[in-house]
């Protein structure tokens, strides 16, 4: 379970304090894939980072009683001087994952080939995202956190990614943030709209999209 209790997030700007999230209370239903729709700058990615634990709220609390992935596609945690394979092994140790099993999955899934044994600082941004996505999918979590920026690669890779998401949904839940209703319809069976710092939940994805598009 993931529960948000009176969650607030403020940022200081040149023009003053900007309140991005304003007292959100929400429990993510177990076993359901939830989409979060919001305009650019609404705070979707900020919310996802706080759920993952990568960023702390200004006030309030995130209660986690299930295993949660990092934000899929985020490559900032890689050590640039280490190879892709060395980074993979390090992450597996942190999460107590089977190194050989994860390595086999990432080798096939990421399509990085010989680059797996080259330093990550030689990778393009797309290659880093593929490695991050592959490692994320190679480790089993109860919840996978997905930002829309993970849509990397050509049509073949995107198709493969969607198929993997569909397989994961058989045993895990997805939390997907996007400003694109099509992305939410493709991956989720319920949705919420983040607007003016508050989260409005809809049990039906189409209702959420209609609310979002008519704001």
């Amino acid at each position: 379970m993931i529960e948000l209790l009176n969650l607030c997030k403020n940022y200081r700007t040149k023009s003053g304090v900007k309140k991005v999230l304003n007292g959100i209370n929400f429990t993510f239903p177990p076993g359901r894939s939830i989409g979060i729709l919001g305009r650019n700058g609404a705070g979707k990615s900020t919310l996802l980072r706080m759920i993952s634990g990568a960023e702390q709220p200004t006030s309030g609390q995130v209660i986690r009683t299930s295993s949660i992935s990092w934000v899929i596609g985020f490559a900032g945690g890689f050590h640039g001087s280490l190879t892709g394979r060395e980074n993979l092994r390090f992450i597996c140790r942190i999460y107590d994952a089977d190194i050989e099993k994860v390595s086999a999955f990432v080798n096939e899934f990421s399509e990085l080939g010989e680059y797996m044994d080259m330093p990550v600082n030689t990778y393009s941004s797309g290659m880093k995202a593929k490695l991050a996505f592959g490692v994320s999918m190679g480790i089993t979590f109860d919840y996978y956190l997905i930002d829309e920026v993970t849509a990397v690669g050509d049509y073949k890779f995107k198709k493969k990614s969607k198929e993997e998401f569909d397989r994961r949904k058989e045993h895990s839940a997805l939390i997907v943030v996007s400003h694109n209703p099509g992305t939410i319809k493709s991956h989720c069976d319920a949705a919420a709209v983040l607007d003016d710092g508050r989260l409005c939940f809809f049990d039906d994805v189409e209702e959420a999209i209609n609310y979002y598009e008519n704001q």
Side-chain angles (χ1 to χ4, degrees), residues 11-18:
Y11 289 109
R12 293 191 177 277
T13 67
K14 291 182 178 179
S15 58
V17 175
K18 177 177 175 58

Side-chain angles (χ1 to χ4, degrees), residues 49-146:
R49 289 195 300 272
M50 284 195 288
I51 292 172
S52 74
E55 187 168 342
Q56 294 301 307
T58 302
S59 62
Q61 190 177 7
V62 180
I63 297 176
R64 312 171 186 86
T65 58
S66 304
S67 61
I68 304 172
S69 78
W70 57 90
V71 179
I72 294 178
F74 175 66
F78 290 140
H79 195 295
S81 64
L82 299 180
T83 68
R85 196 175 310 282
E86 288 168 338
N87 273 282
L88 178 155
R89 295 175 71 88
F90 178 72
I91 292 169
C92 285
R93 292 190 184 99
I94 292 174
Y95 287 91
D96 195 27
D98 186 319
I99 293 176
E100 297 308 316
K101 183 178 179 180
V102 176
S103 295
F105 176 86
V106 175
N107 285 339
E108 188 281 327
F109 189 85
S110 69
E111 303 175 352
L112 290 173
E114 62 184 10
Y115 280 94
M116 281 296 296
D117 296 301
M118 296 178 65
V120 167
N121 58 18
T122 66
Y123 288 16
S124 67
S125 58
M127 291 166 65
K128 290 178 183 176
K130 282 187 174 184
L131 177 63
F133 186 89
V135 175
S136 301
M137 290 288 100
I139 299 175
T140 301
F141 295 101
D142 296 320
Y143 288 88
Y144 289 89
L145 307 181
I146 304 160

